[in-house]
Amino acid sequence: MTSKIAASGLVFLGLLAVLGGFDGYNMWKISRELPLWGFIYGYALLFSVAVDALLYKLKKGPSKMAVTVLLYILGGYVPLLYWFQSPWYMSLIAGAYGVACALVYLAAAYLFRRWWPYSTAAAILLLAVAIYVSTSDFTVTKQWVETRTADSYYAEFDYFNGKKEIPISLDAGQTLTYQVDWQITNGGGYGMYLDAEDGAIGTYIQEPGSGTEQISYRVERPSTVQIVVTGNRAQGAVTVTWQITGPGDE
């Protein structure tokens, strides 16, 4: 079991690195997707145990290995075909990733099993690294200068890769209406979303040149919400303005 858990950790971190382009912030974003944890640390582990149980009575040899590889290919491909049904080509791409992960998992589990008892340490270490990636802030800024007033926030920067949070306190029944204006000078990516105490309530990404848009959010109880601006190797400036209306806004 420890060899299987260690294999899950290796596949999880490897997938984060590949999909995130070895960028700490992108890896952090991907690691926040709970289904990914469930698929690699849950489904993969249970599937591996099921295959072991199914083939337990088969004699070791090339035929058993061939059947094992075939089952892992199917196990990595079929579920993703179901989850990514539209558009159709996404199912093919996701299925290819699934097959690659399944085969890497099989090979890693085999190698870790041969390295017992070091596989136990590897399982703990890889899980600790995965948790660290998912809970750390990998935001990188250069020459970041910001100014905040009662109803606005302005920042200019030479480099912005990550996120910045702008907390705003609201009383029960109040509505926050805000607008984010970007002035990007190097073609870098950028976006924003609103994060509430009960978790993220939605995401809106602005493409370069798409203009601005006002967003409103009303709270039912006293809350602190955060306007989060994100950058992807961006250079320039961002301006956030907001208005609070409702009970107690006089």
Side-chain angles (χ1 to χ4, degrees), residues 203-242:
T203 303
Y204 171 76
I205 303 298
Q206 282 188 309
E207 299 295 337
S210 64
T212 61
E213 180 171 315
Q214 285 191 334
I215 300 175
S216 297
Y217 178 64
R218 182 176 183 271
V219 298
E220 301 299 331
R221 58 181 176 82
S223 306
T224 297
V225 300
Q226 299 185 97
I227 301 173
V228 185
V229 292
T230 64
N232 183 10
R233 299 181 177 89
Q235 179 185 39
V238 59
T239 303
V240 184
T241 55
W242 63 86

Side-chain angles (χ1 to χ4, degrees), residues 43-66:
Y43 166 76
L45 185 63
L46 294 175
F47 179 84
S48 179
V49 171
V51 171
D52 287 349
L54 181 65
L55 304 181
Y56 179 73
K57 293 185 178 181
L58 284 182
K59 185 181 296 186
K60 289 185 178 180
S63 60
K64 182 175 182 178
M65 179 56 67

Side-chain angles (χ1 to χ4, degrees), residues 4-5 8 35 56 61 68 80 104 107 110 124 146 152 156 162 218:
K4 296 179 186 299
I5 296 173
S8 291
Y56 179 73
T68 301
L80 295 177
V104 171
Y110 174 77
I124 296 173
E146 64 182 29
S152 68
E156 57 184 43
R218 182 176 183 271

Side-chain angles (χ1 to χ4, degrees), residues 121-187:
I124 296 173
L125 178 61
L126 290 170
L127 179 58
V129 174
I131 294 174
Y132 171 77
V133 171
S134 67
T135 56
S136 300
D137 185 359
F138 293 94
T139 297
V140 177
T141 60
K142 295 180 181 178
Q143 300 299 319
W144 182 278
V145 180
E146 64 182 29
T147 303
R148 174 167 178 164
T149 67
D151 56 5
S152 68
Y153 176 91
Y154 174 80
E156 57 184 43
F157 43 87
D158 288 343
Y159 182 84
F160 178 28
N161 190 67
K163 63 185 177 71
K164 286 289 184 177
E165 300 170 339
I166 308 168
I168 301 174
S169 297
L170 301 173
D171 293 329
Q174 287 189 324
T175 298
L176 171 69
T177 301
Y178 65 96
Q179 178 173 300
V180 181
D181 299 297
W182 293 90
Q183 302 86 43
I184 301 301
T185 58
N186 70 339

